[in-house]
Amino acid sequence: NAGVTQTPKFQVLKTGQSMTLQCAQDMNHEYMSWYRQDPGMGLRLIHYSVGAGITDQGEVPNGYNVSRSTTEDFPLRLLSAAPSQTSVYFCASSRTGDSPNSPLHFGNGTRLTVT
Amino acid sequence: DAKTTQPNSMESNEEEPVHLPCNHSTISGTDYIHWYRQLPSQGPEYVIHGLTSNVNNRMASLAIAEDRKSSTLILHRATLRDAAVYYCIRGGGFKTIFGAGTRLFVKA
């Protein structure tokens, strides 16, 4: 199993550009989520999904869109990038999101810089 | 609101045990306690979790206070590779919230 795969690893955008951060998992996990991590800080939850076709907002959803058309994939879209979105983005998955007995598996992150 | 309190940083010598504390005084009866760690330039990785009893796995031990208002992650013999940020999380499941964690420095 590859686990949770994020692409790209690095990205530089200009203000106003759009892009999609990709996340795929091969563990047949129901739950997937996106976090951002700013320098020296903990992770903040952006959006999450409890299964295909179902998404919901986390702590900091503004400026980001998500969709979940398949169990495997959970892309994060930035429609109009802003410098405040410069961060490292992590995707995570777990077997079932509603069980506290189901640990999260993380990808290695996408480092995004918006100039 | 991370709902847990951890020291900002701790230091340990290599080959010695490390006890990382966490306070979660508002924990409910059904909340698990999870620990993750984040090595430099990597995503967080799961370490251990428990509900009431002490737990052991190949990475660490988790000691949970009888009143469940605090817990301690125990690394039995710290190595340089254990230098990381350790996150204590109350609850898990939907909307898992990470606080700032404890940065562990390991001296050779």
Side-chain angles (χ1 to χ4, degrees):
Chain A
N1 285 351
V4 178
T5 303
Q6 292 185 238
T7 56
K9 287 185 169 52
F10 301 94
Q11 183 70 50
V12 179
L13 290 178
K14 293 188 188 310
T15 297
Q17 286 185 318
S18 63
M19 81 157 296
T20 300
L21 280 63
Q22 302 291 344
C23 175
Q25 52 90 10
D26 61 359
M27 297 172 283
N28 201 30
H29 283 174
E30 290 183 2
Y31 179 85
M32 297 184 74
S33 55
W34 278 101
Y35 289 85
R36 61 176 286 175
Q37 185 173 36
D38 299 326
M41 297 182 66
L43 288 82
R44 291 185 291 171
L45 182 65
I46 304 171
H47 284 286
Y48 65 96
S49 168
V50 300
I54 306 168
T55 64
D56 205 346
Q57 297 180 348
E59 302 171 85
V60 288
N62 292 340
Y64 307 96
N65 282 350
V66 292
S67 60
R68 184 98 179 269
S69 56
T70 67
T71 300
E72 295 78 20
D73 301 298
F74 190 42
L76 179 72
R77 297 184 189 84
L78 284 71
L79 296 179
S80 179
S84 61
Q85 294 178 304
T86 294
S87 190
V88 181
Y89 291 83
F90 291 101
C91 179
S93 73
S94 68
R95 187 169 47 83
T96 58
D98 63 350
S99 168
N101 216 6
S102 182
L104 290 168
H105 299 254
F106 283 85
N108 280 328
T110 294
R111 188 174 297 273
L112 176 67
T113 302
V114 183
T115 61
Chain B
D1 176 15
K3 307 173 188 173
T4 63
T5 304
Q6 299 178 252
N8 290 335
S9 65
M10 293 184 64
E11 198 172 81
S12 171
N13 293 319
E14 199 177 12
E15 303 294 321
E16 291 185 356
V18 181
H19 291 234
L20 297 162
C22 180
N23 287 321
H24 28 77
S25 57
T26 59
I27 196 167
S28 75
T30 57
D31 280 343
Y32 280 74
I33 299 144
H34 295 249
W35 284 82
Y36 289 81
R37 73 177 186 180
Q38 187 174 20
L39 303 172
S41 300
Q42 293 188 26
E45 65 173 338
Y46 165 78
V47 177
I48 199 166
H49 76 287
L51 184 61
T52 56
S53 306
N54 294 346
V55 184
N56 301 296
N57 66 20
R58 64 174 180 81
M59 291 181 71
S61 296
L62 175 60
I64 301 171
E66 198 167 329
D67 63 6
R68 300 208 331 117
K69 293 185 177 182
S70 65
S71 62
T72 302
L73 180 72
I74 302 165
L75 307 179
H76 296 286
R77 291 181 66 190
T79 70
L80 296 179
R81 292 185 68 251
D82 290 322
V85 178
Y86 288 78
Y87 298 99
C88 167
I89 295 165
R90 191 199 97 184
F94 291 153
K95 295 191 171 187
T96 295
I97 303 297
F98 285 76
T102 296
R103 182 172 296 276
L104 176 65
F105 297 93
V106 181
K107 296 187 297 183

